[in-house]
Amino acid sequence: MRLHLITVGEPRLAYARAGWDEYATRLRRYHKLQVSRVSGKTQAAESEAVRRAAGKAPLILLDPRGRQFTSEGLSAYLDARALGGTGELAFAVGGPEGHTDELRAGADALWSLGELTLPHDLAMVVLTEALYRAATISAGEPYHRG
């Protein structure tokens, strides 16, 4: 399955760039990976850029209102989508103001990384690591020790 990672902006902090690069490289062993970095001067413009970047792919927004997954649960969710014929999923990390209500309403799903508020850069690293971990669980590899 192709995973399309959409972010508003790029990681600015060195640790975040390194983490993003590391887990994106690892993730490419399991999935085709596309990365889109979008921008906008307003929350509405950012959300519209995310919607356009996702195209026809089901859009999963990282949002505190969303569903929380265990690592095994995320792996099962991704496997079910793939087995159900989904060829691509788009995941989006919003800007500092988050996603608009309109974009949330049109999204396929909302995914919460937890109840903590994470800095944008860190959320991008957590996204790629979580997807990598889910891929290794699906592949039966020993990275996850749950």
Side-chain angles (χ1 to χ4, degrees):
M1 176 169 26
R2 179 156 81 171
L3 303 181
H4 185 178
L5 308 183
I6 305 166
T7 68
V8 174
E10 295 190 33
R12 293 184 181 168
L13 301 173
Y15 81 87
R17 283 191 304 273
W20 174 275
D21 291 343
E22 175 68 23
Y23 288 110
T25 299
R26 291 182 185 195
L27 188 55
R28 283 184 170 96
R29 292 193 337 235
Y30 304 93
H31 295 283
K32 294 176 185 173
L33 191 63
Q34 178 180 349
V35 176
S36 296
R37 305 217 191 271
V38 301
S39 63
K41 294 185 184 229
T42 66
Q43 180 190 34
E46 290 172 353
S47 286
E48 179 57 25
V50 165
R51 188 195 59 73
R52 279 194 317 270
K56 295 181 180 177
L59 178 60
I60 300 169
L61 300 178
L62 273 69
D63 188 277
R65 298 164 186 88
R67 173 181 175 188
Q68 292 184 28
F69 289 98
T70 63
S71 295
E72 296 88 352
L74 178 61
S75 177
Y77 175 79
L78 295 174
D79 288 347
R81 295 301 302 256
L83 289 172
T86 301
E88 178 180 2
L89 287 174
F91 296 85
V93 179
E97 303 300 321
H99 304 292
T100 61
D101 290 338
E102 180 181 31
L103 186 63
R104 274 193 292 277
D108 192 64
L110 303 179
W111 173 18
S112 171
L113 297 177
E115 294 185 24
L116 295 172
T117 300
L118 299 175
H120 183 74
D121 281 11
L122 187 54
M124 292 192 313
V125 174
V126 173
L127 166 65
T128 54
E129 193 282 337
L131 292 171
Y132 170 70
R133 182 177 296 272
T136 64
I137 291 168
S138 294
E141 295 180 359
Y143 177 76
H144 178 70
R145 295 185 179 116

